[in-house]
Amino acid sequence: MTTSPPASADHASHYATGMTLVGCGGLVLSVDIPLIRLSESGFYTVIVVRGVLSSLAAVLIWWLARRMGRATGPLIVGRLGLLVSGLYALATILFLVAVYETKAANVVFILALNPMFAAILSWTIAGEKPSRATLIAIPATLVGVLMIIGAGIEAGNWLGDLAALATAFLIALALTLARRSRQDMRYASAISAIVPAMIALPFVATGGGLESEAIGWLVVNGAIVMPLALICLAAAPMFVPSPMVSMGYLVETVLAPVWMWMIFAERPSPLSLVGGALIVATLAAHAVAELAARRRMKVAHRP
């Protein structure tokens, strides 16, 4: 006679699965901006190629999973799934605006606000009250973002910085809604890339076709990198709260500027660097505090 594992073990397994998805998603996502820059492609070309390949790859992965008996749900789950996909589609457009209008370090530093936005939205939408550490971290990260945007105004990059800020908010909102629904929306973010691609297609057609000096990098990005990263991050809310999922973007925040410096010698401005360091340090301290609190709760609930 076999016995089922205790609930605590099941919870720990779910949490480990979720954090693995978060870590893998963030690691893969960190090469997104470098690959876009390496391709030397036009704005609309990136939207079309990246969007079409990402959505096709997601459909293929979903179809193979169904054939193997590992997925039975639809690609888009009801009206809420459509809303979440729409949020991801808008976030995709704004993200690419940010990539083209400001420095890569500014983009990823601002995107690191995801956990703070997710914590606020989880509180207001899902009723998950933020911890004391989160409430302390929110104003510190906002100061960091204001420093980055201030540097962007001086350099004329404020439009890209604001687009990155809107992207962070939209992604956090999509993750929170997916978390609240308890539905499998792992394919929503990758599938939604087809929407901006269809919008940009006429501009590519009337502008002389695809504009790219090294389209192979863009194909790798759209067909492999983005689907893998987006599916991992979109699946994680089924296992862990959305603020923890947003921590995946902190991995990108740390690594993407390193890749940009190594490949393109692109360095952020001093004020942006200070603001970004403040955000990263605050979020790192926040993560340590949250993990410590979780451990104390586990110890307190042990029989």
Side-chain angles (χ1 to χ4, degrees):
M1 179 177 177
T2 59
T3 58
S4 59
S8 58
D10 185 61
H11 174 76
S13 176
H14 267 63
Y15 188 81
T17 299
M19 294 310 296
T20 300
L21 290 170
V22 169
C24 290
L27 179 62
V28 176
L29 194 63
S30 71
V31 301
D32 178 28
I33 296 177
L35 288 175
I36 291 175
R37 294 285 178 85
L38 281 170
S39 73
E40 298 183 42
S41 303
F43 177 73
Y44 293 115
T45 297
V46 172
I47 293 179
V48 170
V49 175
R50 191 172 177 267
V52 170
L53 291 178
S54 295
S55 56
L56 288 178
V59 171
L60 177 60
I61 293 171
W62 173 78
W63 180 78
L64 289 174
R66 285 180 63 92
R67 293 277 295 183
M68 296 171 64
R70 296 185 179 181
T72 56
L75 276 170
I76 298 177
V77 186
R79 293 181 180 179
L80 185 59
L82 285 173
L83 174 59
V84 170
S85 298
L87 292 172
Y88 278 126
L90 183 55
T92 297
I93 297 173
L94 291 171
F95 169 75
L96 292 176
V97 169
V99 170
Y100 277 84
E101 294 295 331
T102 191
K103 291 184 177 181
N106 287 25
V107 176
V108 294
F109 284 150
I110 294 174
L111 285 180
L113 270 182
N114 262 308
M116 297 301 102
F117 279 138
I120 296 171
L121 291 168
S122 293
W123 189 9
T124 57
I125 295 176
E128 297 177 351
K129 187 177 180 179
S131 64
R132 182 182 301 176
T134 300
L135 293 175
I136 295 173
I138 288 173
T141 54
L142 288 178
V143 170
V145 169
L146 289 175
M147 294 175 68
I148 295 171
I149 293 177
I153 292 174
E154 292 181 2
N157 299 332
W158 61 271
L159 178 60
D161 293 339
L162 290 178
L165 187 62
T167 301
F169 175 81
L170 290 172
I171 292 175
L173 179 57
L175 290 172
T176 302
L177 291 174
R179 169 71 175 177
R180 184 187 181 190
S181 72
R182 305 291 179 178
Q183 299 292 323
D184 185 351
M185 295 190 185
R186 72 182 68 189
Y187 301 103
S189 55
I191 288 294
S192 67
I194 195 65
V195 177
M198 293 299 99
I199 295 174
L201 190 57
F203 294 95
V204 172
T206 58
L210 299 176
E211 299 177 9
S212 181
E213 295 296 324
I215 200 169
W217 294 115
L218 201 55
V219 171
V220 171
N221 189 29
I224 301 173
V225 170
M226 290 310 298
L228 181 59
L230 294 177
I231 288 173
C232 285
L233 291 173
M238 293 188 297
F239 303 94
V240 294
S242 56
M244 297 304 295
V245 178
S246 297
M247 285 295 178
Y249 293 91
L250 181 58
V251 178
E252 182 189 22
T253 300
V254 174
L255 293 180
V258 175
W259 309 146
M260 294 300 293
W261 175 73
M262 292 175 62
I263 300 171
F264 303 103
E266 179 180 301
R267 297 182 180 180
S269 67
L271 189 57
S272 294
L273 193 58
V274 172
L278 177 59
I279 292 173
V280 172
T282 301
L283 292 177
H286 174 265
V288 171
E290 288 291 297
L291 289 174
R294 186 176 291 273
R295 287 172 182 169
R296 287 195 298 269
M297 289 179 61
K298 285 183 179 179
V299 170
H301 285 85
R302 284 178 182 173

